[in-house]
Amino acid sequence: MTSLRALVACFAAVLTLTVCADTLEERFDAPPDSTKPYMYWYWLNNNVSAKGITADLEAMRRAGVGEAFIGHVISDGIPEGTVPILSPSWWQLVEFAVREGERIGVRVGMFNCPGWSQSGGPWITPSRACATSSVPKPASRAERPSTANRPVTPRPSKR
């Protein structure tokens, strides 16, 4: 009886490993959408069009991208486009991108504001802009400057 139990246990183990291996291989070949990578999708210097959006999203899908985050960036050396950020035509293209992404199978999201670091905008004055600081030696907790009195940057009003 013991050898029968051992034989059944071995058979069950081999069967389980075989099923798991097949499932793992299938999942590797066709990963679920929840595990596909995302990418930043920069719309440079107001250069965006419906035709370009479709071509980009189709290329992303072929490459296995699951989600793309739109970011608006101005960069030197790139000619200025014809669709200014936040204009009605820009918002129409954002909506088109989301719908086209749904059709093609690539989720579309957005950064929280324009810029390379998503940490600023026209409401940030030079005195409140990002700055570089350095510390000559690691500071102990007691030596660290307090953050209690730092100014809070106001958010732009809703329009």
Side-chain angles (χ1 to χ4, degrees):
M1 188 68 153
T2 305
S3 17
L4 181 61
R5 284 185 185 169
L7 183 61
V8 169
C10 285
F11 178 73
V14 168
L15 182 62
T16 301
L17 290 173
T18 303
V19 169
C20 289
D22 288 346
T23 303
L24 180 60
E25 188 173 325
E26 289 169 6
R27 289 182 137 198
F28 185 82
D29 288 340
D33 287 343
S34 62
T35 64
K36 291 186 178 175
Y38 69 89
M39 62 176 286
Y40 294 133
W41 184 18
Y42 292 120
W43 289 7
L44 298 174
N45 293 37
N46 302 320
N47 289 293
V48 62
S49 68
K51 184 178 177 181
I53 287 169
T54 298
D56 284 355
L57 288 169
E58 287 173 345
M60 289 178 209
R61 182 64 181 181
R62 283 191 305 274
V65 171
E67 187 166 0
F69 293 99
I70 298 170
H72 182 81
V73 176
I74 300 296
S75 187
D76 293 337
I78 296 174
E80 188 69 21
T82 59
V83 184
I85 186 172
L86 304 180
S87 67
S89 57
W90 185 86
W91 282 112
Q92 288 172 347
L93 288 170
V94 169
E95 182 179 348
F96 175 78
V98 171
R99 293 185 192 283
E100 193 71 345
E102 288 174 2
R103 181 184 72 80
I104 292 169
V106 176
R107 293 178 308 276
V108 175
M110 292 182 69
F111 294 166
N112 60 357
C113 68
W116 286 109
S117 65
Q118 299 83 49
S119 62
W123 58 90
I124 303 298
T125 61
S127 66
R128 293 191 170 165
C130 293
T132 301
S133 62
S134 62
V135 177
K137 64 178 178 109
S140 70
R141 184 174 213 99
E143 295 172 326
R144 290 183 191 154
S146 170
T147 59
N149 295 324
R150 287 193 184 159
V152 176
T153 304
R155 297 189 183 270
S157 60
K158 292 184 179 179
R159 295 177 190 188

